[in-house]
Amino acid sequence: MRTQVAIIGSGPAGLLVGAMLTQAGIDNIILERKSRDYVLGRIRAGVLEEATTALLHRLGAGARLTREGLKHDGFELAFQGEALRIDLAHLTGGRTVTVYGQTEVTRDLMDHRLAAGAATIYDAENVALHEFGSGRPSVTYMKDGLTQRLDCEFIAGCDGFHGVSRASVPQAALRSFERAYPFGWLGVLADVPPCAPELVYAAHERGFALCSMRSPTRSRYYIQCPLETDPAQWSDDAFWDELRRRIGEEAAARVVTGPSIEKSVAPLRSFVAEPLRFGRLFLAGDAAHIVPPTGAKGLNLAARDAYELARAFIEFFREKSSAGIDHYSKRALDRIWRVERFSWAMTTMLHRFPQFSPFEERMQEAEFRQLQVSEAARRLVAENYVGAPLPA
Ligand code: RFL
Ligand code: PHB
């Protein structure tokens, strides 16, 4: 088999690269290790920047997003019981975010891809990347017990943090930067109305908590937990009790409890790999970087990488110019590091760190006090949270 761009991974990054290439008439095939249902069963991000929704609309995949997405023009910070609203729209000249689950984004893009007639090979096992340092890269994989080979001009490595793409790069060619946080998030999804109309990010001496949602009748809640937490050891009642202790009396009184539909632990990590290009292999999304979820940036960062990478490929095939692919890594990394900083700062301000001294805890409080008294400080948070607009 032969294609112009082989895309590894059918998460948001791979699907977006694929959709942009298909729209531009460039042949591409996605190889995904798991089944379609498995990919759609993962509960992850919930907040989309305007740039991400704009991209979905430009691709013609935004109809359901328009109907079902919830526009939010602010969110709340609750610091040891004191509340502060970050008025996104006021602070950024009218920009907002949209609450719409990653699962829904993925479903819309998969349906869109199917309708466009572009190929995805699910359950592709043992995906291996070959010769990407040369002009003739290829990818092999096993499907239904048979080894297949896909020749291509480029490989887009969009296979997440644990994927094969980054792992295929020789160690010496790659530099990794990492911070692992000494805690995770225990998340619960439940068909109950959210306790507040906007997201609440709460810092508490028992640990961080987040009140989020997927719809007016479906809530998503998280509490900071030790890394080794087994979600099965947490009853729904214990989760609701702990959540209410952390989010301030007013929000706690409005929590509607119900059976959880999903309960899982996610570790928190900051990670960047440099560079993002190795000959004809390019990394995008979680394959290249991880942010802790506190800034709601992971999916949005993946979408922006996908946009820039696809534009670079399109420039190459249409205009026979390699300027885009030559600049992709440097340009993307400048942006990625800024988002890494924001996600790290939000995480550091709001979580309880076992190793922090009383001095560092006062620094966390001072960070919050600065937001209380300074509109400039709030604007900086708001600008980072809504993200940069997509170029016209
Ligand atoms: P994905 O979504 O992990 O997709 C990678 C795909 O590659 C496949 N794959 C392989 N395929 C073939 N061969 C192999 N060897 C392969 N290895 C892996 C996988 O099966 C998968 O289908 O990466 P992508 O596309 O880069 O997208 C990144 C986002 O998923 C991620 O950044 C976000 O979910 C992060 N995130 C959030 N981001 C936001 O922007 N806003 C949020 O509110 C937000 N909340 C979150 C989050 C992530 C969380 N978890 C669980 C990590 C909340 C949580 C709890
Ligand atoms: C979510 O709804 O899953 C969510 C929202 C905001 C975050 C992280 C996760 O910062």
Side-chain angles (χ1 to χ4, degrees):
M1 260 196 307
R2 188 161 189 97
T3 190
Q4 287 173 288
V5 181
I7 300 169
I8 318 299
S10 177
L15 285 163
L16 284 167
V17 170
M20 284 184 64
L21 293 178
T22 303
Q23 191 180 48
I26 295 164
D27 193 56
N28 63 92
I29 294 180
I30 296 183
L31 297 175
E32 165 59 51
R33 180 169 58 176
K34 303 285 189 182
S35 69
R36 177 186 152 96
D37 286 347
Y38 182 95
V39 174
L40 285 173
R42 290 195 288 238
I43 313 287
R44 287 186 171 175
V47 176
L48 306 184
E49 295 175 5
E50 279 179 0
T52 307
T53 58
L55 181 54
L56 290 165
H57 287 303
R58 280 188 205 176
L59 289 165
R64 198 160 65 96
L65 170 68
T66 301
R67 289 196 305 275
E68 297 176 17
L70 308 173
K71 264 223 160 82
H72 280 210
D73 53 18
F75 67 84
E76 188 173 298
L77 290 175
F79 198 89
Q80 315 292 354
E82 279 182 69
L84 172 67
R85 181 165 187 264
I86 303 293
D87 188 335
L88 297 173
H90 168 74
L91 291 163
T92 64
R95 283 154 63 203
T96 58
V97 294
T98 303
V99 170
Y100 189 70
Q102 178 169 336
T103 314
E104 312 312 322
V105 172
T106 307
R107 181 184 298 280
D108 293 347
L109 287 169
M110 283 178 169
D111 290 350
H112 183 262
R113 186 168 178 84
L114 202 62
T120 301
I121 295 159
Y122 292 102
D123 300 303
E125 293 173 63
N126 298 335
V127 169
L129 282 48
H130 311 281
E131 303 289 328
F132 51 80
S134 77
R136 304 225 147 267
S138 65
V139 184
T140 54
Y141 60 97
M142 289 256 292
K143 176 76 182 172
D144 303 325
L146 295 175
T147 299
Q148 308 283 354
R149 177 186 160 126
L150 179 60
D151 291 304
C152 56
E153 293 181 51
F154 294 108
I155 302 172
C158 303
D159 47 353
F161 185 67
H162 299 287
V164 65
S165 299
R166 196 182 68 254
S168 304
V169 174
Q171 280 292 320
L174 193 94
R175 185 158 180 214
S176 301
F177 302 82
E178 178 160 21
R179 157 154 309 187
Y181 299 87
F183 42 74
W185 282 12
L186 173 63
V188 156
L189 188 69
D191 275 327
V192 294
C195 69
E198 296 180 340
L199 270 63
V200 181
Y201 291 83
H204 189 272
E205 60 188 25
R206 298 180 65 92
F208 170 80
L210 170 60
C211 310
S212 181
M213 66 193 74
R214 289 292 176 274
S215 75
T217 56
R218 180 169 282 192
S219 300
R220 178 71 165 158
Y221 291 107
Y222 298 95
I223 55 174
Q224 177 185 350
C225 63
L227 270 178
E228 58 282 2
T229 301
D230 173 4
Q233 298 297 311
W234 275 81
S235 69
D236 289 350
D237 284 344
F239 181 88
W240 295 121
D241 287 344
E242 188 57 33
L243 175 75
R244 282 183 293 215
R245 281 188 199 110
R246 298 185 185 186
I247 60 178
E249 267 173 44
E250 220 184 291
R254 281 188 269 110
V255 170
V256 181
T257 64
S260 62
I261 321 172
E262 197 256 3
K263 201 185 278 152
S264 56
V265 172
L268 267 67
R269 191 196 308 271
S270 297
F271 174 86
V272 182
E274 290 184 355
L276 305 180
R277 177 190 183 176
F278 310 90
R280 296 205 156 220
L281 165 64
F282 295 80
L283 302 179
D286 279 13
H289 45 72
I290 294 287
V291 287
T294 327
K297 291 289 137 189
L299 167 59
N300 294 300
L301 205 49
R304 184 63 71 111
D305 289 358
Y307 170 82
E308 288 177 4
L309 181 56
R311 292 264 304 218
F313 287 149
I314 293 167
E315 199 178 306
F316 181 87
F317 287 114
R318 274 205 188 145
E319 293 156 32
K320 309 272 171 279
S321 159
S322 59
I325 58 173
D326 289 343
H327 291 131
Y328 167 72
S329 181
K330 165 94 177 66
R331 280 190 193 146
L333 282 164
D334 285 349
R335 166 177 54 77
I336 288 160
W337 276 113
R338 275 183 278 123
V339 176
E340 288 283 346
R341 189 211 63 81
F342 174 66
S343 304
W344 160 83
M346 287 283 281
T347 302
T348 305
M349 174 174 66
L350 296 173
H351 288 73
R352 184 161 173 84
F353 286 71
Q355 76 271 30
F356 269 13
S357 66
F359 175 83
E360 286 158 312
E361 285 170 2
R362 284 288 193 275
M363 288 294 107
Q364 292 177 303
E365 184 178 340
E367 197 76 41
F368 178 75
R369 298 276 170 240
Q370 169 149 290
L371 292 174
Q372 273 181 320
V373 300
S374 162
E375 179 163 294
R378 289 197 294 282
R379 177 165 294 117
L380 196 58
V381 167
E383 279 176 358
N384 278 285
Y385 197 83
V386 299
L390 207 62

